[in-house]
Amino acid sequence: MSDRAPVLVIAVGNPSRGDDAIGPELAARLEAAALPGVEVINEFQLQVENALDLVGRQRVIFVDAGTGTPAPFELKRVAAAPDFLHTSHALSPEAVLATYRRVHGGQPPEAWVLCVRGESFELGESFSPAAAANLESAWPALLEACGA
């Protein structure tokens, strides 16, 4: 698996749920930027299978929207933890890392969570102006975390 990009960005969110589109929007920007050594995966929610995506990586960055996140965003290093819930998604980034450790018997790659504050997550809502501003603030931090 040495042909895998060393940096993986897993963006989480549902574009049909207002500010939950933050993750997919940042993913689309990264894909358009076509940064060398960076792969982007979009998910509605994290699953145990995402642990397989971490194989052969040096760094993984989980990107998501959050309601209780300090504005405009928070970027923090995370470690494996089996039952820690970071968001309302099916599995937390920490649980994905713990799954990797259980399945592969080794340490997962360096991991970060970029959580961008959102305000409105209702089905059919449009992207809020506050979320758009927070996304703009988070974009340079994501590029830097990707090594750009």
Side-chain angles (χ1 to χ4, degrees):
M1 298 256 178
S2 61
D3 59 336
R4 287 188 152 188
V7 177
L8 174 64
V9 175
I10 301 178
V12 180
N14 182 342
S16 299
R17 290 193 161 279
D19 296 347
D20 204 31
I22 288 171
E25 175 61 28
L26 285 169
R29 287 185 182 200
L30 272 180
E31 288 174 334
L35 300 175
V38 177
E39 182 181 343
V40 180
I41 295 175
N42 257 310
E43 298 282 9
F44 279 107
Q45 58 187 2
L46 295 172
Q47 302 293 334
V48 293
E49 292 83 1
N50 290 119
L52 299 175
D53 297 320
L54 307 184
V55 174
R57 313 296 183 162
Q58 294 174 9
R59 177 183 301 149
V60 61
I61 305 160
F62 297 93
V63 178
D64 201 358
T67 56
T69 303
F73 67 89
E74 181 177 49
L75 178 64
K76 65 179 180 178
R77 182 113 185 237
V78 293
D83 295 318
F84 181 82
L85 291 177
H86 167 71
T87 67
S88 63
H89 297 292
L91 204 60
S92 69
E94 294 86 351
V96 171
L97 298 170
T99 301
Y100 176 95
R101 191 167 52 196
R102 277 193 309 276
V103 170
H104 295 285
Q107 288 300 316
E110 174 186 309
W112 296 81
V113 169
L114 174 64
C115 192
V116 182
R117 184 177 179 108
E119 303 294 330
S120 176
F121 293 83
E122 295 301 317
L123 186 62
E125 290 282 324
S126 60
F127 211 52
S128 74
N134 293 343
L135 183 146
E136 292 302 327
S137 295
W139 175 239
L142 179 56
L143 287 174
E144 185 176 337
C146 288

